[in-house]
Amino acid sequence: MTMPLAKFDPKLDLKLEREIDVPVHLVWKAWTTPAHLKQWFVPKPWTIASCELDLRPGGIFRTVMRSPEGEEYDNSGCYLDVVPNERLIFTDTLLPGYRPAPKPFFTGALLLSPLGATGTRYVAYAIHGDEATRENHEKMGFHDGWGTVASQMVDYIKSGAVPA
Amino acid sequence: MTMPLAKFDPKLDLKLEREIDVPVHLVWKAWTTPAHLKQWFVPKPWTIASCELDLRPGGIFRTVMRSPEGEEYDNSGCYLDVVPNERLIFTDTLLPGYRPAPKPFFTGALLLSPLGATGTRYVAYAIHGDEATRENHEKMGFHDGWGTVASQMVDYIKSGAVPA
């Protein structure tokens, strides 16, 4: 089956591409295991207060981000496409069970491929419905934010915390 | 894998249940083949002016409805879950490729199961994000509309137009 994700449109969408020196299967584990994801998924000193993952199409993908001041922000959505060690597509336009969400914002995609023996080509997309939403996401700090957490994830994996 | 659809909530959702005397595999064909779907998918004298189906998660599900006066209404969305002869889940909250849609309204589901040797238990759900949207869909004539097209589909299948 061909890739189901919309073609990247620079007017509507955002993309982060990295070549990282940790292997694909550990990146997959870091993204799909709540105990690991909590450690790196938001730029420090913010934290992930809680996280719920049901790794299948229609399954919950929920994180609660906590600011240093203790304010919490709930991000609820569901997975759409789950191909271990290859791609993870999720959205906040649908809640678990595909129920339409109150505040649809974007569809996210993580694409992984091996780079040499132990590295990963890491590509993350944010797919939006219009230019204003893309601009808004960009102003919210998409590039810094997603870049920072990718670096945090690499450091976390390198610390040995994600078993092979 | 368990059923990925949200649990039916009578405050938020709508349901049509029918026992029909045409077999499951012909109902599936009637729903998933453009040439067949065009013949029954909107209450007459409305017609389906065109229809595009790409029967896989993230694939297009688009119909253009034409009023007797010639006005056209585009309904674009994508499939979420496709299990031949069992269930079809689709939504207009996401366009093809999972791009967030401009006017999210509902997620639809068709559940089919055999009833005796040649019949079908036919269940259609409309899953909404809030009570107001459910009410709106109900006022737009969900029950009459979906019931009428189910009857049209049964008549169409009984005419022999859908080959076994």
Side-chain angles (χ1 to χ4, degrees):
Chain A
M1 189 157 84
T2 55
M3 170 69 172
L5 195 68
K7 190 169 175 293
F8 180 79
D9 179 339
K11 281 195 204 143
L12 300 175
D13 306 324
L14 296 167
K15 173 160 63 166
L16 178 89
E17 287 190 83
R18 287 274 180 100
E19 299 191 346
I20 57 179
D21 57 348
V22 289
V24 165
H25 72 284
L26 297 187
V27 175
W28 183 261
K29 275 194 182 175
W31 262 86
T32 59
T33 314
H36 296 318
L37 186 136
K38 286 177 74 170
Q39 301 302 318
W40 63 267
F41 197 64
V42 71
K44 290 171 185 169
W46 284 57
T47 56
I48 298 291
S50 68
C51 150
E52 210 178 332
L53 315 180
D54 179 8
L55 205 67
R56 56 179 182 140
I60 193 167
F61 181 21
R62 175 172 185 245
T63 56
V64 178
M65 299 183 176
R66 183 185 285 154
S67 76
E69 294 75 31
E71 279 185 291
E72 297 195 346
Y73 298 84
D74 187 325
N75 302 282
S76 284
C78 77
Y79 293 108
L80 294 168
D81 190 47
V82 178
V83 182
N85 302 317
E86 276 185 35
R87 69 173 181 250
L88 196 57
I89 306 179
F90 51 94
T91 192
D92 64 10
T93 67
L94 294 167
L95 299 178
Y98 302 128
R99 183 179 296 287
K103 292 184 183 174
F105 182 53
F106 82 114
T107 291
L110 172 72
L111 305 186
L112 304 175
S113 51
L115 195 69
T118 58
T120 297
R121 188 177 148 75
Y122 181 97
V123 186
Y125 291 99
I127 305 291
H128 307 95
D130 52 53
E131 287 190 49
T133 308
R134 190 266 303 153
E135 275 175 26
N136 187 20
H137 204 173
E138 205 162 8
K139 282 181 192 154
M140 284 165 64
F142 170 86
H143 292 288
D144 274 1
W146 287 46
T148 297
V149 303
S151 298
Q152 289 180 176
M153 180 196 68
V154 170
D155 291 345
Y156 179 70
I157 291 173
K158 284 184 175 174
S159 79
V162 184
Chain B
M1 188 156 84
T2 56
M3 171 69 171
L5 195 68
K7 191 169 174 292
F8 180 79
D9 180 339
K11 282 194 203 143
L12 300 176
D13 305 324
L14 296 167
K15 174 162 61 166
L16 177 89
E17 287 190 84
R18 286 274 180 100
E19 299 191 347
I20 57 180
D21 57 348
V22 289
V24 165
H25 71 283
L26 297 186
V27 175
W28 182 260
K29 276 193 183 175
W31 262 85
T32 59
T33 313
H36 296 318
L37 185 136
K38 286 177 75 169
Q39 301 302 318
W40 62 268
F41 197 64
V42 71
K44 291 170 184 169
W46 283 59
T47 55
I48 299 291
S50 69
C51 150
E52 210 178 332
L53 315 180
D54 179 8
L55 206 67
R56 56 179 181 141
I60 193 167
F61 181 21
R62 174 172 185 247
T63 57
V64 178
M65 299 183 176
R66 183 185 285 154
S67 76
E69 294 75 32
E71 280 185 292
E72 297 195 346
Y73 299 84
D74 188 325
N75 301 283
S76 285
C78 76
Y79 293 107
L80 294 168
D81 191 46
V82 178
V83 182
N85 302 316
E86 275 185 35
R87 68 172 182 251
L88 195 58
I89 306 179
F90 51 94
T91 192
D92 64 10
T93 67
L94 293 168
L95 299 178
Y98 302 128
R99 183 178 297 286
K103 292 184 182 173
F105 182 52
F106 81 113
T107 291
L110 172 72
L111 305 186
L112 305 175
S113 52
L115 195 70
T118 57
T120 297
R121 189 177 148 78
Y122 181 96
V123 187
Y125 290 99
I127 305 291
H128 307 96
D130 52 54
E131 287 190 48
T133 308
R134 190 266 304 153
E135 276 174 26
N136 187 20
H137 204 172
E138 205 162 9
K139 282 181 192 153
M140 284 165 63
F142 170 86
H143 293 286
D144 273 2
W146 287 45
T148 296
V149 303
S151 298
Q152 290 180 174
M153 180 195 68
V154 170
D155 291 345
Y156 179 70
I157 291 173
K158 283 184 175 173
S159 78
V162 184

